Amino acid sequence: MTPFVAFGYRKTKTDKHKLEIDPSAGSVVQDIFKMKLRGMSQDAIANRLNELGILSPFEYKISSGSHYETGFRQKEQALWSSVTVRRILENEVYIGNLVQGKRTTPNHKVKQTYVKPEDDWIRIEKNHEPLVSDRDFEIVQRLLGMDTRTSPDQKQVYLLSGIAVCADCGAPMTRKVSTVAGKKYAYYLCFTNKETKRCSSHRIPEKDLEDTVLVMLKQEHPAPEKSPGICWYCALSGDQYEEAAGQAGEEKTGDRTL
């Protein structure tokens, strides 16, 4: 086991080779996953943690008396960043898996390391108590694999970002907003049409598309309220989404409300 353990865990006092949950840091990790499941981007999550004054992993290790060093510290105080958030969201350690042997060197004379093929990693599943369920972790990995970029003034990802594609050319459907008589209208259109006009626009109002997805999901899953997975969240919109997100994870941790 490496000298420094993942943020959210600590070595047990009785056996330095075993991990246990660090209650303070562990709750932050769980909050990060909850925020991602609610549709927040990595940037928005990092900004929220910084606003709340939550110590970044580097600063937390220093405050705990660790001599941990990193090359990512660019300011006097290391803040949360989208990179740090993504690393946490992608780390299998939070579902109880211990993965070692990711990096190696060509020989003992060469200090530079490289990442080994994943098949050569040493993975011990369910090695310690998880902070996140397998199901939530899998949903987050799918979300991370989608094109879920947000504009600078947006904190949450649009419901169909990275999901809706053109049936004719396979290009992503791009969300656009038009203002008519002071009222805003959101719709999706084919990215290929937008850029080159080599495909039809397939323009469809956002609400119509979301309502159609909701109907189809209800047909596929007659009782989605009994299984609030990723399909359920993607199917909801507007007030429904806010209400569902609140019921699923709107909690207070200490003095902070996420």
Side-chain angles (χ1 to χ4, degrees), residues 31 33-40 156-157 159 228-229 232-252 257-258:
D31 289 341
F33 275 87
K34 288 176 184 176
M35 285 189 277
K36 185 60 184 177
L37 288 170
R38 292 176 199 163
M40 294 178 68
Q156 290 187 322
V157 178
L159 295 182
W232 184 44
Y233 282 106
C234 288
L236 299 181
S237 60
D239 294 337
Q240 289 178 308
Y241 182 89
E242 293 298 328
E243 181 181 355
Q247 292 175 352
E250 191 67 33
E251 299 178 353
K252 290 185 177 180
T257 301
L258 301 174

Side-chain angles (χ1 to χ4, degrees), residues 165-173 189-194 196 198-202:
V165 297
C166 175
D168 287 341
C169 70
M173 295 291 283
L189 76 160
C190 173
F191 179 79
T192 300
N193 174 269
K194 173 178 175 291
T196 66
R198 293 180 179 176
C199 186
S200 301
S201 68
H202 301 295

Side-chain angles (χ1 to χ4, degrees), residues 35-91:
M35 285 189 277
K36 185 60 184 177
L37 288 170
R38 292 176 199 163
M40 294 178 68
S41 66
Q42 286 83 267
D43 277 327
I45 294 173
N47 290 338
R48 181 60 176 155
L49 294 171
N50 288 327
E51 290 171 0
L52 293 170
I54 306 300
L55 293 179
S56 67
F58 175 80
E59 295 296 341
Y60 185 78
K61 284 183 171 64
I62 297 300
S63 70
S64 301
S66 170
H67 297 290
Y68 179 76
E69 295 183 359
T70 178
F72 292 96
R73 188 178 191 178
Q74 298 179 341
K75 298 181 179 180
E76 184 175 346
Q77 180 178 10
L79 299 176
W80 286 92
S81 69
S82 60
V83 174
T84 304
V85 170
R86 188 180 184 99
R87 284 179 175 174
I88 287 176
L89 293 172
E90 291 179 331
N91 198 335

Side-chain angles (χ1 to χ4, degrees), residues 218-239:
K218 282 184 175 180
Q219 292 174 347
E220 185 72 19
H221 304 280
E225 68 278 359
K226 295 182 181 179
S227 180
I230 186 171
C231 290
W232 184 44
Y233 282 106
C234 288
L236 299 181
S237 60
D239 294 337

Side-chain angles (χ1 to χ4, degrees), residues 7 23 29 49 75 87 95 98 111 113 125 129 131 146 149 186-187 209 211 218 251:
F7 181 71
V29 170
L49 294 171
K75 298 181 179 180
R87 284 179 175 174
I95 55 173
L98 184 63
K111 293 184 178 181
T113 63
E125 296 187 354
E129 184 179 356
L131 279 165
M146 297 175 183
R149 292 168 292 180
Y187 58 91
L209 182 57
D211 288 346
K218 282 184 175 180
E251 299 178 353

Side-chain angles (χ1 to χ4, degrees), residues 161-189:
S161 293
I163 299 175
V165 297
C166 175
D168 287 341
C169 70
M173 295 291 283
T174 304
R175 184 182 185 274
K176 292 295 179 182
V177 178
S178 296
T179 303
V180 180
K183 187 174 182 179
K184 293 185 177 181
Y185 297 89
Y187 58 91
Y188 283 86
L189 76 160

